[in-house]
Amino acid sequence: MVDEPNSTPSPAGPPGDQHPGVVALLRLASVLIGPDGRIAQWNRAAEELFGHRAEVACGRTASGLLPAVEPRAETAAPRPPGTARRCDAFDTLDDLTRPDRTAWAGSMTVTDRENRPRDILWWAYPLTEPGGHSLLALAADARPLRAGGPRIALGTRLLPYAAAQGAPGGFHRISAALAPAGEPGADALAALLPGGSPERRNRMLAQLAAAGPPALWVDATTRLPVLPYEPIGAGVAHIAAGLGRRYPTAQQRAVQPRATRRPPEAGRPGTGPVAIGLQLLPTDGADGSRTLDSAVPGPREATASVGAVNGNQNTAASTDTDGPRVNRPHGASPGPSGPIPGGSAIESAANGRTPVRDADLPAEPVAPSSVEVLTSSQAGEQLALLSDVGSSVGTTLDLDTTARELCQVLVPRVADFACVDLLDGLISDSELPENRPDDRTMLRRVARSFNATPGRWEHVLDEGSLLAMPRSTPPGLALQENQPVLVPVINPDVAVDYAASLGGPDLVPVVVGRSMLVLPLSARGTVLGILKLLRLPDRAAFDKSDAATLRELAARAALSLDNARLHRAEARVATTLQRSMIPTRPPKIPGVQIAHRYMPGDRRAEVGGDWFDAIQLPGSRVALVVGDVMGHGLHSAAAMGRFRTAMQTLAALDLPPGQLLRHLDNLAQKLGDDHLATCLYAVYDPINRTCELASAGHVPPVLVHPDGRGELLEIPEGAPIGVGGVPFVAKKIDVSDGSMLVLCTDGLVEVRGGDIGAGLAALCGNLIDPKQTPEEACDVVLDRLHSEDRQDDIALLVARFDGVDPSEVATWELSAGEAEVRRARALVREQLASWKLLALADTAELLVSELVTNAVRVARDRIQLQLIRVDKLLVEVSDDNHNLPSLEPAESMDECGRGLHLVSKLSERWGTARKAVGKVVWFELALPRR
């Protein structure tokens, strides 16, 4: 509360659970990813931090939801601009915690739903549950922490944090950490865990305590434990929805005994029976505003108007008892609340009273004139304000910037507080909402601005917060009726409802006695949200003249906001399509380590015409691809998407590199003459330690040998894809374990005004250390060869060849006879026993028996059985028949058709693929845990 600046919001942990010593209080987003890779929990803080609603996030696969930039150690050297590797946030957290199942804490920038970068502090905890491994990710927004420091608490008192004298870095050095295992504080995380049995929650808390509770480095020398908490005003949607339970509604107050009502305080502005009026102003601009009270006082005449509106005290007392006067056309009958054609009154729970019938209303004095005359000074001020809005609002097509510009124009010139709340669904979905706003409509605070008055606005909801607007509040009424709502002076009786719309009931001392104007933001027939304005008592209250001017201002601003919304929707569609065209996570393939980078030549686009791929092939082989479509922009990106899809389809046929490029060239000619591209296709065999390459006019690759010597591979060039009539010749080379293959596009090695050979010579120099990881090699190459003046796309792929140890591979040649099925079972059991994998013997024997039986029935001459033990058990059965088997429905009494069903049910993964001669059917089994 503002009146109690040292009060501390309650931590989210169990009541009475106070952490000893000094702790940092953070609002933590909590995301739980189940064993199936789907999101099982997404709390309110995650909704506000990342923008995705819980009903959208929960149940979907976590991979692909939050694009991110790969995290780096705090001590690592900064990357060159634009060279950061894109990744997926939850995939990366899983990779960081998977090797030894230990927790991880650090910083990682993500892109939220609105395509805005957010610097996030993460705490990731791998959890072991009966159904498998889960991942709990806790997150906090690093920007406000590094700008002003964290909230810290000693017991129940909130204290400001000051960096230690001489501490290097200040607040920008704030980083996530893990407290020592077993340190108190894990129990406070119970509120962030999903609901369920107490046994499950206790099991999770025990694992969190063993891994180390969240902590925060606030400077170079101080680490504080972290406790989750909900700040004042958080979860306003829940508060506003529960106002009828926590605070009496207008109907409930009307039936309360008189003795239980709070008497007005004499002499205090806004406490008289008619001092507060809530006016719903019509959109036609006529002076026929619908009033939710008997009268509206002047800007500073609220106190004087008490008891004087009707000319006698009895009338005033009757009005306070029976309710406000409701203006209706002569002869109109009372109706339900809401707008009635003809300008009748609207009932609202905000006025705190019940309506009365026309017969009970005293006669109102006739106003001498319904037209307000403006002086030349007033008119000039209004015209200047509208002119400033036209020149200052909508300078960009960014929705957030436009909303902030609107608030900044109004504060302090027009109001002491301004905020823009937009429909949450409208700014995220491309389609317009089907239903009109109601009490359940969720809004998101996009922008806010206020006078820097100490102690007055500390607990107003931050940007990004979600909130609801019941009809009982002026903002809710304005939103649902699409009309301005004017509250000249806020009465304490209704300040609770009004405060909820601004951030929570604890803001009653802030809003009471103030003046409020709420304007709908409507454009092209759609209500986008609302603009809320608040004035403090030291300036004139809002009046109808202000409302008329600001309504025109809001209409102009709404068009700018809608233009920004439409631009964002189009940009989101383009970005989504572009991001789907290139991989963000290198595949994990036994015997080879892969890293890649992509940098579009147009910084406004996510992707251009370059692409790369790593495709797993049968026999633990991998296909490495780099290509470059001629041209730039979305046209090249669309062509690139076609080429990449075609390349993946042709690679699945396991064609030799030369034949594959020939098929791709034929396809390009069918697509059109404007589809020209260079391409390099390489297939690495980790068992035989060979690499076969073919080029279609592409930049030759560089092979870095284990001794650090770089070699530019001489491969027959061929012509670009799409030219036609040119043969593609492949070349096979032997590669040693520990060597690296570097594939890139010409944007990396081509220097403006120079020869491409200079860039290739630099790439062949002592640029890459074979002891480096592929990720480090990518960073080194871009650091040395990339420059800011390059305008061409860059694709870089680095593969380290580690090979598969011969002792991990077993291969047998079988004849096409039924007796070979029994032999295959015996060979599998014997080999698994030598590998100490007898736990897999029964399942592997059964599945191999089914696949070899199928192969014996269709093979003409030879059958091959191969077992490979890497991070899993890979089993392959090949034959010389090219027809691929498929799953077919089998009835209960059928004798055939059950083999592949067993393979599908009992293996982790399985598949089929054509080879140069024949086909291969394979399946994978997870290795037993040790």
Side-chain angles (χ1 to χ4, degrees):
M1 293 177 61
V2 174
D3 292 343
E4 302 176 15
N6 288 331
S7 63
T8 301
S10 299
D17 182 17
Q18 297 297 336
H19 194 285
V22 180
V23 298
L25 300 179
L26 300 184
R27 190 164 192 232
L28 294 176
S30 174
V31 179
L32 180 66
I33 303 172
D36 58 354
R38 298 184 179 274
I39 297 175
Q41 172 174 291
W42 188 272
N43 70 351
R44 171 56 59 84
E47 288 184 316
E48 297 182 356
L49 183 58
F50 302 124
H52 300 277
R53 297 296 305 278
E55 54 264 29
V56 175
C58 290
R60 64 153 289 169
T61 56
S63 180
L65 182 63
L66 283 182
V69 175
E70 187 182 46
R72 289 170 61 85
E74 297 289 339
T75 58
R79 287 190 178 103
T83 62
R85 188 177 76 85
R86 296 187 309 167
C87 61
D88 179 82
F90 296 120
D91 284 346
T92 302
L93 293 177
D94 183 58
D95 290 341
L96 292 170
T97 58
R98 180 178 293 275
D100 49 4
R101 306 300 300 173
T102 57
W104 177 85
S107 177
M108 178 167 54
T109 301
V110 304
T111 302
D112 66 8
R113 185 191 63 179
E114 307 307 326
N115 204 32
R116 297 170 299 193
R118 285 187 174 272
D119 189 9
I120 304 297
L121 299 180
W122 293 92
W123 294 267
Y125 293 91
L127 303 177
T128 302
E129 300 193 71
H133 293 299
S134 301
L135 178 68
L136 176 66
L138 307 179
D141 192 352
R143 180 179 56 85
L145 295 175
R146 289 172 177 163
R151 288 187 173 96
I152 66 173
L154 178 61
T156 60
R157 188 179 182 191
L158 181 65
L159 303 171
Y161 178 78
Q165 292 291 333
F171 292 136
H172 75 273
R173 299 293 297 177
I174 283 180
S175 59
L178 295 173
E183 184 171 304
D187 292 343
L189 302 177
L192 302 177
L193 300 180
S197 64
E199 293 79 6
R200 183 192 183 198
R201 176 165 295 192
N202 292 335
R203 183 170 58 249
M204 288 184 173
L205 290 175
Q207 295 182 60
L208 295 179
L216 195 69
W217 284 108
V218 291
D219 57 36
T221 59
T222 307
R223 184 183 63 192
L224 296 179
V226 169
L227 287 186
Y229 88 111
E230 288 295 318
I232 294 177
V236 178
H238 175 74
I239 295 173
L243 282 175
R245 298 186 295 273
R246 297 179 56 184
Y247 305 99
T249 63
Q251 292 76 12
Q252 292 169 338
R253 288 194 290 264
V255 299
Q256 286 179 349
R258 175 183 289 271
T260 64
R261 300 185 189 175
R262 179 170 55 187
E265 302 176 18
R268 184 173 180 179
T271 60
V274 292
I276 171 66
L278 191 155
Q279 303 182 25
L280 186 65
L281 305 177
T283 57
D284 56 7
D287 190 16
S289 60
R290 293 175 282 180
T291 306
L292 294 180
D293 217 319
S294 55
V296 180
R300 287 294 178 263
E301 300 170 357
T303 306
S305 66
V306 176
V309 174
N310 298 312
N312 59 73
Q313 187 173 355
N314 293 335
T315 304
S318 174
T319 303
D320 182 57
T321 303
D322 298 332
R325 279 177 270 176
V326 181
N327 303 325
R328 299 190 185 93
H330 179 69
S333 59
S337 63
I340 301 175
S344 61
I346 292 182
E347 300 173 16
S348 170
N351 58 28
R353 306 178 180 87
T354 54
V356 295
R357 299 183 179 277
D358 292 339
D360 300 327
L361 298 177
E364 294 188 11
V366 179
S369 174
S370 60
V371 180
E372 299 185 15
V373 180
L374 299 178
T375 66
S376 59
S377 175
Q378 291 173 316
E381 292 177 359
Q382 294 180 359
L383 290 175
L385 176 62
L386 293 176
S387 176
D388 289 347
V389 170
S391 61
S392 302
V393 179
T395 60
T396 69
L397 286 176
D398 182 75
L399 185 65
D400 298 334
T401 301
T402 302
R404 292 192 186 99
E405 291 172 344
L406 176 60
C407 292
Q408 291 168 0
V409 166
L410 297 176
V411 177
R413 184 173 183 176
V414 175
D416 296 302
F417 173 86
C419 67
V420 173
D421 299 332
L422 300 182
L423 299 180
D424 181 63
L426 185 64
I427 61 179
S428 61
D429 301 331
S430 57
E431 298 182 359
L432 297 178
E434 298 180 357
N435 302 321
R436 296 182 58 183
D438 54 25
D439 285 2
R440 296 172 297 177
T441 300
M442 299 300 299
L443 293 98
R444 187 176 294 271
R445 179 147 299 172
V446 180
R448 65 171 189 173
S449 183
F450 46 81
N451 274 333
T453 305
R456 293 187 183 272
W457 314 106
E458 294 175 355
H459 300 297
V460 175
L461 281 181
D462 292 330
E463 295 177 1
S465 301
L466 288 171
L467 59 158
M469 296 296 176
R471 188 184 177 88
S472 59
T473 65
L477 187 62
L479 178 69
Q480 297 182 31
E481 294 298 330
N482 192 19
Q483 295 186 25
V485 172
L486 172 63
V487 186
V489 182
I490 299 177
N491 190 304
D493 280 339
V494 294
V496 169
D497 290 2
Y498 293 172
S501 69
L502 290 176
D506 296 285
L507 294 177
V508 171
V510 173
V511 300
V512 69
R514 280 52 168 174
S515 179
M516 179 188 290
L517 177 62
V518 187
L519 301 157
L521 297 171
S522 178
R524 301 180 176 95
T526 301
V527 180
L528 306 178
I530 53 176
L531 169 64
K532 293 185 289 187
L533 304 174
L534 199 65
R535 282 181 179 174
L536 298 175
D538 57 358
R539 62 192 300 177
F542 289 111
D543 55 23
K544 294 182 181 179
S545 176
D546 295 328
T549 303
L550 294 173
R551 181 167 56 196
E552 175 65 21
L553 180 150
R556 296 185 182 186
L559 283 175
S560 297
L561 288 169
D562 196 45
N563 290 337
R565 177 189 67 84
L566 294 173
H567 174 74
R568 172 177 287 186
E570 293 178 0
R572 184 182 295 113
V573 171
T575 300
T576 302
L577 291 175
Q578 290 172 352
R579 285 177 177 168
S580 65
M581 292 180 181
I582 56 177
T584 59
R585 189 184 191 189
K588 297 180 179 179
I589 302 175
V592 60
Q593 301 177 42
I594 299 172
H596 51 64
R597 298 288 187 273
Y598 180 81
M599 299 177 60
D602 184 358
R603 297 301 173 87
R604 298 169 297 178
E606 289 285 335
V607 68
D610 294 10
W611 87 94
F612 54 86
D613 244 325
I615 308 168
Q616 186 168 7
L617 301 177
S620 288
R621 293 173 300 141
V622 57
L624 305 174
V625 186
V626 169
D628 182 3
V629 176
M630 296 183 181
H632 302 281
L634 291 178
H635 179 75
S636 297
M640 178 271 289
R642 292 184 176 184
F643 280 128
R644 180 170 180 252
T645 302
M647 181 72 74
Q648 290 178 330
T649 304
L650 294 172
L653 301 177
D654 201 10
L655 298 174
Q659 292 185 25
L660 186 141
L661 293 182
R662 164 55 56 199
H663 284 287
L664 188 64
D665 182 61
N666 294 336
L667 177 62
Q669 295 182 59
K670 295 179 182 178
L671 295 176
D673 296 337
D674 55 340
H675 290 76
L676 296 177
T678 63
C679 180
L680 179 66
Y681 184 79
V683 176
Y684 170 63
D685 187 340
I687 298 176
N688 297 320
R689 288 163 174 76
T690 60
C691 185
E692 188 175 7
L693 308 95
S695 175
H698 197 77
V699 177
V702 173
L703 180 65
V704 181
H705 295 274
D707 58 2
R709 177 175 50 89
E711 177 187 357
L712 188 66
L713 298 180
E714 297 181 1
I715 304 173
E717 273 193 14
I721 298 296
V723 173
V726 179
F728 299 99
V729 180
K731 180 179 181 179
K732 180 179 288 189
I733 61 174
D734 295 327
V735 292
S736 304
D737 292 349
S739 57
M740 285 188 177
L741 185 66
V742 181
L743 299 86
C744 66
T745 56
D746 57 4
L748 179 66
V749 294
E750 190 174 29
V751 181
R752 181 180 300 180
D755 184 61
I756 193 174
L760 290 174
L763 196 60
C764 292
N766 297 326
L767 193 60
I768 298 178
D769 184 354
K771 297 180 181 179
Q772 294 173 331
T773 65
E775 296 289 347
E776 295 171 340
C778 286
D779 292 338
V780 170
V781 170
L782 290 177
D783 187 25
R784 295 284 297 275
L785 298 182
H786 174 261
S787 61
E788 288 299 313
D789 61 345
R790 295 185 186 273
Q791 298 181 354
D792 198 5
D793 303 335
I794 293 177
L796 173 65
L797 188 148
V798 177
R800 179 188 177 91
F801 298 146
D802 296 328
V804 175
D805 193 282
S807 63
E808 306 294 331
V809 181
T811 306
W812 301 279
E813 299 292 334
L814 307 177
S815 61
E818 294 183 357
E820 294 294 293
V821 177
R822 176 184 299 179
R823 179 182 171 221
R825 288 198 297 264
L827 292 172
V828 168
R829 176 169 289 275
E830 181 181 353
Q831 185 62 48
L832 293 181
S834 66
W835 284 342
K836 299 181 180 179
L837 295 177
L838 282 177
L840 302 178
D842 292 340
T843 303
E845 274 189 61
L846 174 62
L847 302 186
V848 166
S849 175
E850 296 293 339
L851 294 185
V852 172
T853 300
N854 292 342
V856 166
R857 291 178 177 177
V858 299
R860 293 188 299 270
D861 182 27
R862 71 176 190 87
I863 299 172
Q864 185 184 77
L865 172 63
Q866 186 175 66
L867 272 63
I868 305 174
R869 182 183 67 169
V870 280
D871 56 343
K872 53 188 173 290
L873 179 64
L874 174 62
V875 180
E876 296 181 348
V877 176
S878 306
D879 61 67
D880 53 8
N881 187 292
H882 69 278
N883 293 319
L884 298 179
S886 59
L887 281 173
E888 299 291 343
E891 300 296 336
S892 57
M893 300 301 293
D894 289 348
E895 296 183 1
C896 301
R898 301 184 182 278
L900 290 183
H901 282 280
L902 289 174
V903 175
S904 175
K905 295 294 184 181
L906 298 180
S907 64
E908 271 203 342
R909 291 199 316 147
W910 77 283
T912 62
R914 284 191 172 92
K915 303 177 67 175
V917 177
K919 66 175 179 297
V920 58
V921 184
W922 57 269
F923 65 86
E924 294 177 358
L925 295 177
L927 299 181
R929 299 173 185 170
R930 296 180 180 177

